[in-house]
Amino acid sequence: MEGWRSLLTAYENEPKEVTSENLAMKRSLFKQETVMQMGRDFHCEVLSQPLLADYTSIGIGGAAPFLLLPKETRSLEGLLNELAGENLPWRILGRGTNLIVRDEGVKDIVISLTKLPTAPSFSGNTVKVASGYPLSRLVREAAAKGLSGIEFAVGIPGSVGGAVKLNASSFGGSMEEVVSEVTLFSPGKGIIKRKKSEIGFAYRSTSLEKDEVILSATIILKPSSSWKIQKEISYLQKLRRERQPIGQKTAGCIFKNPPGISAGHLIDALGLKGLAFGGAVVSKKHGNFIINRHSSTAKEVLALIELIKERVYKALRVELEEEVIIW
Ligand SMILES: Cc1cc2nc3c(=O)[nH]c(=O)nc-3n(C[C@H](O)[C@H](O)[C@H](O)COP(=O)(O)OP(=O)(O)OC[C@H]3O[C@@H](n4cnc5c(N)ncnc54)[C@H](O)[C@@H]3O)c2cc1C
């Protein structure tokens, strides 16, 4: 951490001409020092130049200038206000399971909420859970308490925050059906509570703004017998194992389903399962999954996505739209 400071001091002590490169270098070092200091002030774990490939389920992506992991909610709020004040752009990373990061990485500071305290708090049929909490773990904890309604989410590897933001859904259930309220933080606006009707849930999306960070969600479930819920969970897990390339490096479904049809079925019908581009290959189990099979680059995955879109459009006049988020 002290490295940037000594670099900056050395840079400032060294006599030099005022050129645009020197000014750009000075600005960049100041920016790095500012972010390091913010990280310290707001009790964050600070990673400089982390490879985002290490933080995505598909295992692809270049670096971010910084990854900041706040350890307290109040620190996160202070940090976001400070970043806004310094005009430093940022973005939120969940568990990186619906994300493809380009090989050149991102210029924004990336903030992960996975180090915030997350233990869900149950009260009757209601559970309040922090956004960094793993969704699948919540399903199991609810089941153990005899609470039903969120079984559909078992096996979705994302965080609660990512699942709310993208209105995650499967097996006929969706976050929209169980979320009653979210608590957000937005720099300048502070803490905001939004009822379900104000979240703008739609198919794999919400109307939440880019600078609105989901801090927690309140979820309402129904009492049922733990045994029945466990049985349903085991059944859905079996279906997932049969239908999806579980355990492989993927980013979940690549495309949204066009109205009334499954994107995976269209891809399958055109014989595109197994189609490869470099190290990226369309799963043979599920046409809507791309696997990073042999140290694929983002460029290869994105080229394969374009190829699939082109083939589907040419053959069926259907325009596939990406579900996966591309940074
Ligand atoms: C094997 C596999 C199976 C999957 N199955 C399903 C499935 O059945 N159904 C389904 O819907 N999805 C599925 N997914 C996709 C993915 O798990 C979900 O979309 C999940 O909800 C994404 O959550 P995340 O935490 O990984 O978000 P990320 O991928 O990290 O982020 C996704 C987006 O959400 C934003 N975001 C994340 N957290 C917050 C926050 N706290 N506040 C504001 N914005 C935030 C990010 O900025 C980004 O824009 C699957 C993925 C895999 C790899």
Side-chain angles (χ1 to χ4, degrees):
M1 282 211 205
E2 294 309 307
W4 293 113
R5 186 167 290 159
S6 54
L7 246 175
L8 184 60
T9 314
Y11 181 86
E12 285 186 320
N13 290 341
E14 186 191 310
K16 61 185 86 60
E17 261 182 89
V18 180
T19 63
S20 56
E21 289 84 51
N22 282 341
L23 281 175
M25 167 83 165
K26 188 170 178 180
R27 249 182 250 127
S28 153
L29 285 174
F30 265 125
K31 201 167 104 179
Q32 282 157 356
E33 173 56 20
T34 307
V35 177
M36 287 297 210
Q37 189 57 48
M38 279 184 199
R40 285 190 287 269
D41 291 349
F42 294 105
H43 312 291
C44 299
E45 194 176 315
V46 180
L47 301 177
S48 175
Q49 293 290 323
L51 260 193
L52 295 178
D54 296 338
Y55 298 88
T56 60
S57 54
I58 195 166
I60 285 175
F66 287 99
L67 176 63
L68 301 180
L69 300 103
K71 293 178 191 152
E72 299 152 22
T73 308
R74 286 189 70 83
S75 310
L76 168 70
E77 294 165 19
L79 173 70
L80 291 172
N81 281 334
E82 199 78 6
L83 288 170
E86 292 286 339
N87 242 333
L88 291 169
W90 51 270
R91 50 181 84 192
I92 296 287
L93 174 71
R95 294 174 70 83
T97 63
N98 211 194
L99 200 58
I100 296 174
V101 180
R102 291 179 201 276
D103 302 314
E104 50 275 32
V106 297
K107 293 207 164 69
D108 298 355
I109 292 157
V110 175
I111 301 172
S112 160
L113 309 186
T114 51
K115 289 271 151 102
L116 292 175
T118 57
S121 91
F122 287 87
S123 165
N125 298 346
T126 302
V127 52
K128 187 168 178 194
V129 57
S131 66
Y133 205 68
L135 187 61
S136 260
R137 198 181 300 165
L138 178 67
V139 176
R140 283 198 197 86
E141 293 195 14
K145 293 194 181 299
L147 291 172
S148 166
I150 199 168
E151 296 86 311
F152 72 87
V154 74
I156 298 183
S159 64
V160 168
V164 170
K165 172 82 178 180
L166 300 179
N167 190 16
S169 61
S170 59
F171 304 117
S174 69
M175 293 307 286
E176 177 178 9
E177 286 162 26
V178 292
V179 170
S180 71
E181 185 179 88
V182 290
T183 303
L184 311 168
F185 180 81
S186 174
K189 292 187 234 159
I191 299 273
I192 307 163
K193 298 235 183 233
R194 289 260 167 83
K195 299 265 174 241
K196 182 208 286 273
S197 59
E198 301 163 325
I199 299 172
F201 279 118
Y203 172 53
R204 295 289 155 84
S205 71
T206 51
S207 60
L208 300 177
E209 304 280 341
K210 195 170 174 277
D211 69 345
E212 292 180 331
V213 178
I214 301 162
L215 297 179
S216 65
T218 303
I219 290 174
I220 298 186
L221 301 167
K222 298 174 291 275
S224 180
S225 89
S226 283
W227 177 81
K228 253 172 108 177
I229 302 171
Q230 290 293 358
K231 202 172 150 206
E232 175 71 359
I233 286 178
S234 302
Y235 171 66
L236 296 178
Q237 279 176 315
K238 181 172 161 281
L239 287 187
R240 255 183 208 280
R241 280 194 300 272
E242 283 167 9
R243 295 178 185 173
Q244 295 183 355
I246 306 298
Q248 309 253 39
K249 290 182 176 177
T250 74
C253 282
I254 297 290
F255 302 106
K256 292 183 180 173
N257 290 326
I261 340 167
S262 139
H265 284 151
L266 295 182
I267 293 165
D268 190 10
L270 294 180
L272 302 179
K273 280 179 168 175
L275 181 69
F277 197 101
V281 59
V282 178
S283 164
K284 289 195 174 150
K285 232 179 196 181
H286 194 310
N288 204 0
F289 280 70
I290 289 180
I291 301 172
N292 168 11
R293 192 176 49 179
H294 297 304
S295 312
S296 171
T297 59
K299 208 168 169 193
E300 289 166 350
V301 174
L302 296 176
L304 187 54
I305 290 176
E306 283 313 311
L307 191 59
I308 296 168
K309 284 171 80 170
E310 203 181 292
R311 297 262 182 103
V312 170
Y313 186 74
K314 224 171 167 179
L316 307 166
R317 289 283 178 265
V318 174
E319 278 188 39
L320 289 179
E321 187 195 335
E322 285 85 343
E323 168 180 323
V324 76
I325 307 287
I326 299 166
W327 278 6

